[in-house]
Amino acid sequence: LSNLETIVLLSLDAEAVGSLKDGINFKKSPGDGKCYIIYKSSEGFKACKNQCKHQGGLFIQDIEDLDGRTVKCTKHNWKLNVSTMNYVNPPDSFLQDELDVEISNDGGLQLVELNPIDPWLADPREPLELLEGEVKVTYMTHACMELKLGQKRFMFDPWLKGPAFARGWWLLHEPPTDSLDRLCAADLIYISHMHSDHLSYPTLKVLSERRPDIPIYVGDTSRPVFWLQSQVKLTNINIVCFGVWQNIDEHLRFMILMDGVHPEMDTCIIVEYKGHMILNTVDCTRPNGGRLPQNVDLMMSDFAGGASGFPMTFCGGKYTDSWKADFIKTERKKLLCYKAQLVRSLQPRIFCPFAGYFVEAHPSDRYIKDTNIKNSAQDLNACITKLAPDVMTWTPKPGSVLDLGVALRDPTNSEAITNPPACAKIYKDSWDFAFYVDELNSAISCEIFKHQSWIQFYYTWAGFKNYNLVVRVIETDDNFEPHPDGYNYLVDFLDLSFPTKRPDREHSYIETKNRIGVMRYVVLHGRLWDDLYIGFQNRISRDPDIYHHKYTHFITYIKVSYA
C-alpha cells in the first residue's frame, strides 16, 4: 500500500448525519460539487459515488422502487440496489465500487477513498525542446497512427485493409499508398484490444508474411488481445502489465492503462518522448477509470458513435425507424458533450479525434448506413473550440502529418500540419466486397453444417446455462429472410436443451436472425459474436424488451476453434 494515499471526498458534521433519512440520501460535496449516495439502515451506512459504472451517468431516485433501495441511471436506466451495491437492471452485471464510511467520535461522518498515485508520475522527466521533424504524427486511417519519435517509429492499431466485424464495417478513408510498407518497417506496434477494427487479421496477415518478428505490445487483459493467434504467425507479441513504464530507449517509453468500464478487454496508452506525453484513449468508455494526465502535448480519442449493434439491429415494439433516429441523435449529442468536457478538464495542448472513420459500405447494409448517423470530427472539434479555446484541434486526413515540436512552439504556424498532396485520395470508393464476402460465404457449404447436431455441439461446448432465457436463432439471407438451406432452432438456456417449441413456463425470449454466411463463419473459425452484433449482421427482437447482461456478455464472446 506504499503507493496509496487516502482522500476525504465528503465530510458531514453530527447534525448533518442526524438529518440523514433511512434509505437513500443524495449528497453533494460543497468543495467540488461532486455527488455521492449514502444508504442508511439499521446496520449502518453504505456509500458510493453517484456515477453509473456502465457509462458514467448520474443516478436519481427510482420511483418504481417501493423499498427505497434502488436508484436509476439517467443515461440508460440501469438500476443499482444501494443496500447491496449490486446492479439489478440488468441483473448479473456489475458490482458498484463502495466508499469507506468513517464515523468520528463526535458523530460526524466522512466518505474516504483509497487514492493510488498516478503511475505516470513515477520517475518524472522534464520536457526537453523538440527539434523540427523530431516528433511527427501521421494519420493513416481509422485508429491507425504512425508516431515518429526520434529514430523510432511506433504504429497504433493498424487496420489498413479488408473489413472489420465480418462484413459490417469498412474503412472510410483510403490509407496512404505506402501504409503497409510503413507498418512492416515500424519499430514497435501497439494494439489496444481484440475488436477487429483494431486487431485486423487481413492487415496482420500481410505483416506476418513480411515481418513476423516485429515487436507488438498489448495490455494484460483477462480477454487476451490475440485470442485467435493461430490466424497469424506473429512471433514477438509482448503482454505488458498496466501502469508500468516500458522503456524503449533513452528518451522513449510508454505505459498501457486499462478501461474503467471494460477492464477485461479495453486499453489506452500514454507515450512519452523526451518528457512530452501523447495520450491515446482509443475506444475506452472511461479510460483508466477517469484518472488521466492533464496538460499532455497531444491527446487522441474516438468521437463518432454508431459503433454498437444497439439499437440498429433491434426490431419490433418501440424500435421504429423514427425511435432509432431520435435515440441515435441523442446519444451522439451525449458523446460529443462527454468528449468535449473531457478535453476541457484535461487541457491537452493539441487534440485529435480519430478511431471513428468507418462506414457501413456494403450495399446490403444501406439501411444501417442511412440511419446510423455518426458525429463528425469537425463537430467535436467545434465543441472543443468553444469549451476550451486554448486547445489546438487537428482534424486529420490520410497521410497528414503533425510536427509536434513546431506545433508546441507556435500552434498558429502553418507548417505545424502538413496535409496530403492535392492528388491524394481521401475517401475510399472501392472495398473489394466480393473477395471478403465470398470468403465468409464459403462456410455455408462446410460439411459440418449438413448435420443438425452441430447446433447442440456448439452451445453445449460454450456451456452457458442456468439462465431463464429461450433464444430462437434463424439463419437468413442478406435481407434477413429465412435462408432456404438455413436452420431455425430454439436454445433453452435454463437447462441447455434444444426444444422444438417454446416451453410452457414463464421465460424471457429473444429471436435473432443471423445472416447465414457470417453465422457459419463465426462458428467454423471460432470468431466473436460481435461480428454479428456490432457488425450489424443480425436482427434481434426481445420479449420482454429487457437487456440480459449475463447472456449478452457471454454470447458476444463465444468462440470455438475446430483445429
Side-chain angles (χ1 to χ4, degrees):
L1 296 178
S2 60
N3 66 336
L4 294 175
E5 58 182 10
T6 58
I7 57 172
V8 177
L9 301 174
L10 178 70
S11 294
L12 301 179
D13 59 24
E15 183 180 353
V17 173
S19 68
L20 293 174
K21 67 179 189 295
D22 288 343
I24 296 167
N25 298 267
F26 292 89
K27 288 293 179 181
K28 182 180 287 189
S29 169
D32 57 15
K34 293 184 178 178
C35 299
Y36 303 92
I37 302 173
I38 301 174
Y39 181 78
K40 180 183 177 182
S41 70
S42 59
E43 298 177 358
F45 298 96
K46 283 180 172 284
C48 66
K49 294 180 179 179
N50 187 356
Q51 187 176 68
C52 181
K53 201 162 183 177
H54 177 220
Q55 289 192 6
L58 285 176
F59 289 111
I60 59 173
Q61 193 81 41
D62 179 16
I63 60 173
E64 299 173 349
D65 173 38
L66 301 179
D67 295 329
R69 298 176 180 175
T70 307
V71 291
K72 180 171 70 173
C73 178
T74 53
K75 261 194 171 183
H76 301 107
N77 295 324
W78 282 43
K79 294 184 179 184
L80 170 68
N81 184 327
V82 191
S83 71
T84 63
M85 293 297 172
N86 282 303
Y87 282 82
V88 293
N89 180 31
D92 306 305
S93 52
F94 298 136
L95 182 68
Q96 186 78 343
D97 296 322
E98 288 190 57
L99 300 173
D100 287 332
V101 181
E102 295 183 354
I103 306 297
S104 59
N105 293 332
D106 63 1
L109 175 151
Q110 289 185 332
L111 301 188
V112 178
E113 181 180 42
L114 285 176
N115 186 39
I117 296 172
D118 294 323
W120 54 86
L121 298 178
D123 185 23
R125 295 179 180 176
E126 285 296 317
L128 304 177
E129 185 174 359
L130 299 177
L131 301 176
E132 181 178 346
E134 188 173 6
V135 175
K136 288 186 172 183
V137 181
T138 304
Y139 169 70
M140 297 294 180
T141 187
H142 191 56
C144 184
M145 285 278 195
E146 180 196 63
L147 277 61
K148 175 186 175 293
L149 305 152
Q151 299 303 310
K152 299 292 186 182
R153 292 185 181 269
F154 200 166
M155 192 79 83
F156 293 161
D157 285 328
W159 172 28
L160 299 171
K161 64 178 296 182
F165 298 108
R167 46 183 278 193
W169 293 27
W170 304 81
L171 288 168
L172 177 68
H173 285 155
E174 187 73 53
T177 54
D178 64 346
S179 59
L180 282 169
D181 292 334
R182 293 166 76 157
L183 171 66
C184 295
D187 293 287
L188 61 160
I189 296 170
Y190 160 68
I191 297 179
S192 59
H193 62 291
M194 61 166 60
H195 281 161
S196 53
D197 58 321
H198 301 263
L199 184 78
S200 166
Y201 282 107
T203 306
L204 294 178
K205 186 172 185 293
V206 174
L207 181 65
S208 67
E209 291 168 352
R210 291 172 55 178
R211 195 171 161 212
D213 62 341
I214 192 166
I216 297 176
Y217 293 87
V218 299
D220 190 13
T221 48
S222 60
R223 289 205 176 100
V225 175
F226 280 85
W227 56 275
L228 206 58
Q229 195 170 339
S230 61
Q231 294 285 312
V232 289
K233 307 301 182 184
L234 294 165
T235 61
N236 195 359
I237 297 167
N238 302 274
I239 302 170
V240 302
C241 296
F242 291 116
V244 179
W245 283 121
Q246 308 296 319
N247 296 299
I248 302 302
D249 61 26
E250 178 187 2
H251 296 300
L252 175 61
R253 59 184 182 173
F254 70 89
M255 173 185 296
I256 297 177
L257 302 170
M258 68 170 65
D259 182 32
V261 174
H262 297 291
E264 77 283 357
M265 61 169 284
D266 266 353
T267 72
C268 57
I269 189 171
I270 300 170
V271 177
E272 186 184 80
Y273 176 79
K274 287 190 174 180
H276 294 272
M277 284 192 183
I278 296 172
L279 169 65
N280 174 10
T281 64
V282 205
D283 287 353
C284 289
T285 305
R286 280 185 59 76
N288 200 41
R291 297 176 65 109
L292 295 168
Q294 294 189 325
N295 308 120
V296 298
D297 295 281
L298 172 63
M299 175 181 173
M300 296 177 262
S301 86
D302 63 334
F303 67 94
S308 169
F310 184 85
M312 291 311 306
T313 64
F314 286 72
C315 54
K318 69 182 180 185
Y319 298 108
T320 62
D321 288 352
S322 61
W323 186 93
K324 290 179 184 178
D326 289 344
F327 179 90
I328 290 165
K329 184 178 180 180
T330 300
E331 289 299 299
R332 286 206 326 267
K333 287 182 178 178
K334 287 180 182 176
L335 181 62
L336 274 188
C337 182
Y338 168 68
K339 294 294 180 182
Q341 294 285 358
L342 182 62
V343 171
R344 182 172 73 168
S345 67
L346 296 178
Q347 287 291 311
R349 298 284 299 278
I350 305 163
F351 174 77
C352 174
F354 83 147
Y357 300 102
F358 70 93
V359 61
E360 303 90 348
H362 194 275
S364 66
D365 291 323
R366 184 62 184 264
Y367 162 72
I368 302 289
K369 178 183 176 183
D370 291 346
T371 310
N372 193 31
I373 308 299
K374 302 167 192 65
N375 292 321
S376 73
Q378 292 87 343
D379 290 339
L380 178 54
N381 281 343
C383 289
I384 290 169
T385 299
K386 288 180 182 178
L387 284 176
D390 293 335
V391 176
M392 173 185 169
T393 59
W394 173 33
T395 304
K397 297 176 182 177
S400 61
V401 182
L402 171 73
D403 188 313
L404 191 59
V406 174
L408 293 178
R409 278 191 294 276
D410 180 8
T412 65
N413 189 332
S414 61
E415 295 183 2
I417 294 173
T418 304
N419 284 315
C423 61
K425 191 173 182 180
I426 303 300
Y427 295 101
K428 288 185 74 70
D429 56 16
S430 175
W431 292 271
D432 199 7
F433 293 134
F435 177 82
Y436 295 102
V437 174
D438 287 350
E439 181 184 8
L440 291 167
N441 288 341
S442 67
I444 296 174
S445 58
C446 182
E447 176 67 26
I448 69 165
F449 298 114
K450 296 176 183 178
H451 311 279
Q452 190 165 358
S453 57
W454 75 264
I455 298 168
Q456 183 172 349
F457 179 89
Y458 181 64
Y459 292 96
T460 301
W461 178 91
F464 182 75
K465 60 181 178 179
N466 300 320
Y467 192 86
N468 190 22
L469 173 68
V470 177
V471 176
R472 180 177 293 279
V473 180
I474 303 169
E475 294 184 317
T476 74
D477 60 20
D478 276 7
N479 298 315
F480 297 103
E481 296 297 328
H483 192 282
D485 297 321
Y487 289 98
N488 180 332
Y489 57 89
L490 290 167
V491 185
D492 187 342
F493 285 105
L494 187 62
D495 58 1
L496 200 50
S497 60
F498 304 87
T500 55
K501 63 178 183 178
R502 287 176 60 177
D504 294 333
R505 71 172 192 279
E506 186 175 330
H507 61 273
S508 294
Y509 177 71
I510 295 176
E511 182 173 289
T512 177
K513 298 177 179 179
N514 296 335
R515 284 178 173 159
I516 187 170
V518 181
M519 176 64 191
R520 294 192 178 184
Y521 191 88
V522 163
V523 171
L524 186 64
H525 296 283
R527 296 302 183 103
L528 306 179
W529 273 51
D530 268 345
D531 282 355
L532 291 156
Y533 177 62
I534 299 180
F536 311 111
Q537 300 301 300
N538 63 9
R539 295 294 181 267
I540 299 167
S541 58
R542 305 185 295 202
D543 181 23
D545 182 24
I546 59 174
Y547 177 47
H548 297 276
H549 180 274
K550 192 171 185 178
Y551 163 76
T552 304
H553 203 58
F554 186 93
I555 206 72
T556 296
Y557 296 104
I558 203 172
K559 50 186 181 290
V560 186
S561 182
Y562 300 106

